[in-house]
Amino acid sequence: MVATETIEVTGHIVDSLLLAKILDAILDAGCDYEIEDVVIGKTNLDASSARIAVSGDEDVLGPLLDDLQVHGANRTAQVDATLVAADRDGVLPAGFYSTTNLASAVRVDGTWLPVDNPEMDCGLVVRDGRAVTVPMHRVRAGDLVVVGSEGVRVQAPGHARDTQVFEFMASEVSSEKPKALLVEQVAARLRASRERGGKALVVAGPAVVHTGGAPDLARLVADGWVDVLFAGNGFATHDIEANVLGTSLGVSVAEGVPTEGGHANHLRVINEVRRHGSIAAAVDAGFVTGGVMRACVLHGVPFVLGGSIRDDGPLPDVISDTVAAADAMRAHLDGVHVALMLASTLHAIATGNCLPAGVETFCVDINQAVVTKLADRGSHQALGIVTDVGPFVRQLADHLVGSA
Amino acid sequence: MSGAPLPWGRRFVMCPPRHFGVLYEINPWMRREVSVDPDRALAQWTGLVETLRSAGAEVETMEPHAAVPDLVFTANAGLVNASTDGSGPGQFVPSHFRHPERQPETPVNAAWFGARGWQIDRLPDDVDHEGAGDALPFTPDGGTTVLLSGYSFRSDASAATELSALVGCPVRPVQLVDPRLYHLDLTFCPLDGRRAIVAPSGWDTYGRKVVDALVPEPLVLTEDEALSFCANSVVVDRTVVMPAAPPRVGRQLEAWGFEVVECRVDEFLKAGGGCRCLTLALDTVLSRPRRQASPGSGPTSPTGAPRATPAQRARSTRPPAPRARP
């Protein structure tokens, strides 16, 4: 993990080449620097001074700064974070520190506490010797909340962790990449994550079903490549509709033509699942005989269906309180190494907001704007793949299923 | 072309070796099993005093103390900044020794100077510096006096900032890299306004460049020559009093018009000290009386706000420096 510390050096640092020596030593150690402030003495009698931000891998930075201290460069004074108790439930103290999704640490009593669960747009609470991100609505009166930015250290996304991924990730959004190669690389990342014991999260939009990708996603679920699924009422409904009635939003999945009375197909499916009480009950009763949701039920893959204001029905499993839905999603994020956003705009962004920066995120959408939007909202680590999601999922399943 | 004679080196303080011995080991030359011959040490010390006096220098002496055998190396007592305006003898910055064995010397030295009217200015407690042993001035002809200060084995680099603020002259720290040449005065000996004996093998590459830029005509020692301690010499006008004079070095000095006098001090080499280490010049002038600070002089921050002096800032922010012990 990359860390940054600030050092100061004062004296006749130019004539004595001390400044040059320090900067060389930083580069020689494989670290980087930014001169935040430099004051050069006007005559050779005047002292000069420089304040330098040094960044580099944590393991290298500590010993480097110890070495630099020998040359007279000292770490700038560090202060503890200011903690203020929340005075009521669901309200952060004024001036609260608003988090990023980057790995962070909070200095308390002279010790840097790593933040357990980096998530953007939250408050930072210190309790029982740990620092945790807490969404505004979950703050409780008396929680000690970090106020101001002093004593908070944010680490830039690492370069050292896995060069291959980050070279790959560096390719950003493109509709002009060879898709087969991208699919192969995503498959390789999923394999690598599984070998490390990481979880894979899939966020799926209804277009996965519309484009005929549901059976392939179901294959991936059945073969253990998906550890948790986030979606909305639409995806789950059309997945079940396609299985039960052979249509997705009334259009025949096999023939691509509208069916008579098909516009109400999804409502009939929702109605029947509501009669069963839950998707799992509908699966158990034999009402649902295929598809992604059934694969999740049969293989014990947890799913969170988040509701929205325009939902029909909704399905009984849909959490229509959006705040509760987001909390339910958060509960599944621990251990997620790879997130695959498949043709989903709103759920992908909602998920991106909760993910720590360290999670490798692949955003697959036919619309470049969705991919860009995710990146613009702060999920810089997302790699966009602009393509039709159906064929993408099929190729991915062909790579992975049975290959474990 | 010869440079202007050294403006200092006519008055020294020395300490007779009545209690001198190798009682501990804090540099690679010291071996406790090697015994010092006290009579021979005293005879050699007396010989050095006489040599300096006959070269034209005054020598004062300081009372030795049984508990601090290395008091004999007065070069390490501190840094002298003699007054030029007759307002008193001047300023003395007592050394802050890295090794606990030598730390009791500081109050003895401060008391000696204090009793003679010197203004005593101290380094912060967490900064080590071993006085003239690790800092020697060089005044290039027509230029400003620069204090070259060695660091790593005995002194801290950050001491340069403190010293500069205290004595008011530029201090250029040079990293010492050979533990056998653990003090700057084993690697650097100013001869006049153009020349100095230098031992680059004792410095890192940056230090070599710094000295290159400072000294127009260096007498560059080989590593073997440096290890003979020939840079640990005392210069009195055009006389160079040396613990050893390798033939090439002696010839070069004579070619430059210096008189070379070899003065045996091998009893003191057992403790890692030569002629320079046994003396402290009382007439080094590091800065002229301070100019009144005028608006716009000195460093200011980009916002124009007054900056803390380096010494103030360093004191208020520095964690304890790591101690590298050779």
Side-chain angles (χ1 to χ4, degrees):
Chain A
M1 194 58 79
V2 173
T4 300
E5 293 238 28
T6 304
I7 56 171
E8 273 187 327
V9 57
T10 310
H12 294 93
I13 55 176
V14 179
D15 299 341
S16 65
L17 302 181
L18 214 51
L19 183 59
K21 184 194 300 204
I22 287 165
L23 299 182
D24 286 353
I26 293 169
L27 296 179
D28 287 347
C31 295
D32 207 353
Y33 65 80
E34 183 182 340
I35 297 183
E36 293 182 341
D37 187 19
V38 63
V39 178
I40 305 292
K42 288 180 181 169
T43 74
N44 72 355
L45 289 173
D46 297 331
S48 304
S49 69
R51 193 172 67 239
I52 305 163
V54 187
S55 51
D57 194 81
E58 267 180 334
D59 299 338
V60 179
L61 196 60
L64 170 68
L65 295 191
D66 289 345
D67 285 350
L68 294 184
Q69 206 168 20
V70 174
H71 305 303
N74 293 298
R75 288 175 170 90
T76 50
Q78 294 179 326
V79 293
D80 282 349
T82 309
L83 301 178
V84 173
D87 62 345
R88 64 177 75 178
D89 289 354
V91 181
L92 293 159
F96 66 91
Y97 175 80
S98 172
T99 56
T100 68
N101 61 354
L102 300 169
S104 310
V106 182
R107 194 172 189 272
V108 179
D109 294 334
T111 305
W112 288 100
L113 304 175
V115 173
D116 281 352
N117 53 336
E119 178 181 337
M120 67 170 85
D121 303 337
C122 290
L124 268 181
V125 169
V126 175
R127 61 166 77 112
D128 306 329
R130 304 171 72 98
V132 290
T133 57
V134 175
M136 193 179 293
H137 71 274
R138 290 177 76 174
V139 170
R140 291 292 164 266
D143 277 352
L144 290 174
V145 179
V146 176
V147 169
S149 59
E150 279 195 328
V152 180
R153 191 167 69 184
V154 175
Q155 292 160 345
H159 302 290
R161 196 181 49 169
D162 187 335
T163 337
Q164 204 189 347
V165 187
F166 282 90
E167 278 166 9
F168 174 36
M169 302 285 262
S171 61
E172 293 172 1
V173 183
S174 176
S175 53
E176 293 169 343
K177 300 262 172 185
K179 294 300 175 308
L181 184 65
L182 290 176
V183 172
E184 211 170 285
Q185 287 170 323
V186 173
R189 296 318 304 165
L190 283 164
R191 277 200 199 93
S193 155
R194 186 146 101 170
E195 277 162 22
R196 292 196 306 265
K199 283 166 38 178
L201 161 70
V202 167
V203 184
V208 173
V209 184
H210 299 330
T211 56
D216 300 302
L217 184 54
R219 281 202 286 152
L220 287 168
V221 171
D223 206 45
W225 291 100
V226 178
D227 296 291
V228 58
L229 174 75
F230 293 169
N233 189 54
F235 171 81
T237 299
H238 297 308
D239 175 60
I240 296 169
E241 178 196 346
N243 170 252
V244 176
L245 299 174
T247 60
S248 187
L249 208 58
V251 175
S252 163
V253 176
E255 291 156 18
V257 293
T259 54
E260 190 165 338
H263 68 279
N265 280 1
H266 68 285
L267 293 173
R268 300 185 197 289
V269 164
I270 292 168
N271 192 51
E272 287 311 303
V273 175
R274 287 177 71 92
R275 192 188 307 282
H276 286 286
S278 71
I279 294 173
V283 170
D284 289 344
F287 176 69
V288 185
T289 57
V292 178
M293 298 317 297
R294 177 174 177 273
C296 286
V297 170
L298 294 186
H299 296 277
V301 173
F303 55 84
V304 177
L305 302 180
S308 80
I309 199 167
R310 69 189 193 294
D311 284 346
D312 292 324
L315 287 169
D317 302 73
V318 170
I319 305 170
S320 52
D321 177 340
T322 54
V323 173
D327 283 348
M329 287 159 65
R330 286 188 182 98
H332 288 289
L333 294 181
D334 194 31
V336 169
H337 284 199
V338 179
L340 215 52
M341 318 288 206
L342 301 176
S344 158
T345 308
L346 301 177
H347 291 274
I349 290 168
T351 305
N353 285 354
C354 302
L355 287 178
V359 175
E360 295 172 19
T361 303
F362 301 97
C363 180
V364 183
D365 208 291
I366 195 74
N367 183 353
Q368 185 154 336
V370 172
V371 178
T372 310
K373 190 167 174 146
L374 191 68
D376 284 350
R377 289 180 61 100
S379 306
H380 303 290
Q381 71 287 0
L383 172 80
I385 300 171
V386 177
T387 191
D388 189 353
V389 72
F392 176 87
V393 177
R394 184 165 311 129
Q395 286 180 37
L396 187 65
D398 288 347
H399 268 291
L400 289 172
V401 172
S403 75
Chain B
M1 186 175 81
S2 58
L6 271 195
W8 54 279
R10 311 296 193 283
R11 282 181 59 219
F12 296 96
V13 58
M14 294 175 61
C15 176
R18 279 210 299 281
H19 304 293
F20 173 64
V22 181
L23 305 187
Y24 44 77
E25 299 177 6
I26 56 170
N27 69 52
W29 306 96
M30 294 178 117
R31 291 281 176 268
R32 276 198 300 182
E33 61 271 22
V34 174
S35 59
V36 169
D37 178 339
D39 294 337
R40 197 157 177 272
L42 186 60
Q44 288 183 346
W45 183 86
T46 310
L48 177 60
V49 174
E50 284 165 4
T51 306
L52 293 174
R53 284 182 174 149
S54 59
E58 291 172 41
V59 177
E60 292 181 49
T61 56
M62 146 190 304
E63 218 19 52
H65 283 249
V68 277
D70 281 350
L71 200 65
V72 69
F73 297 120
T74 50
N76 308 149
L79 206 59
V80 167
N81 184 18
S83 155
T84 51
D85 59 5
S87 63
Q91 180 189 30
F92 177 69
V93 182
S95 289
H96 192 278
F97 289 96
R98 178 161 293 176
H99 293 289
E101 292 88 342
R102 297 201 64 179
Q103 286 166 2
E105 293 177 41
T106 302
V108 177
N109 291 321
W112 190 88
F113 278 86
R116 281 155 187 78
W118 291 76
Q119 177 189 324
I120 310 293
D121 284 324
R122 290 177 189 278
L123 289 166
D125 288 343
D126 60 349
V127 172
D128 295 337
H129 194 274
E130 300 200 350
D134 255 340
L136 288 165
F138 187 83
T139 312
D141 286 346
T144 318
T145 297
V146 168
L147 194 62
L148 209 60
S149 178
Y151 74 92
S152 68
F153 301 116
R154 300 298 188 88
S155 300
D156 293 330
S158 51
T161 311
E162 307 288 348
L163 285 176
S164 178
L166 286 175
V167 302
C169 89
V171 181
R172 297 190 189 159
V174 171
Q175 187 178 358
L176 303 177
V177 295
D178 184 343
R180 298 168 299 179
L181 304 172
Y182 57 92
H183 268 150
L184 182 81
D185 68 2
L186 301 174
T187 64
F188 183 65
C189 178
L191 295 167
D192 61 22
R194 288 189 52 77
R195 297 163 178 141
I197 301 173
V198 303
S201 68
W203 308 322
D204 74 340
T205 51
Y206 299 89
R208 293 175 193 185
K209 286 183 191 166
V210 168
V211 179
D212 261 358
L214 182 66
V215 180
E217 214 173 332
L219 197 173
V220 180
L221 301 181
T222 64
E223 188 178 352
D224 284 345
E225 288 165 346
L227 293 173
S228 76
F229 274 34
C230 69
N232 202 248
S233 298
V234 183
V235 180
V236 182
D237 196 13
R238 306 301 291 182
T239 304
V240 186
V241 181
M242 313 183 79
R248 187 189 69 93
V249 176
R251 278 197 301 276
Q252 180 61 69
L253 289 171
E254 283 170 358
W256 281 342
F258 290 98
E259 186 188 346
V260 176
V261 181
E262 247 183 313
C263 190
R264 281 183 77 88
V265 289
D266 50 338
E267 285 302 318
F268 301 96
L269 294 178
K270 293 172 179 173
C275 297
R276 168 76 78 194
C277 293
L278 291 165
T279 64
L280 175 64
L282 295 173
D283 53 356
T284 44
V285 175
L286 302 178
S287 57
R288 301 285 146 191
R290 300 282 179 92
R291 290 169 303 170
Q292 208 63 28
S294 59
S297 78
T300 50
S301 74
T303 56
R307 298 177 71 91
T309 67
Q312 285 166 344
R313 200 169 33 225
R315 240 169 247 146
S316 62
T317 61
R318 190 199 335 286
R323 299 287 147 89
R325 290 188 195 284

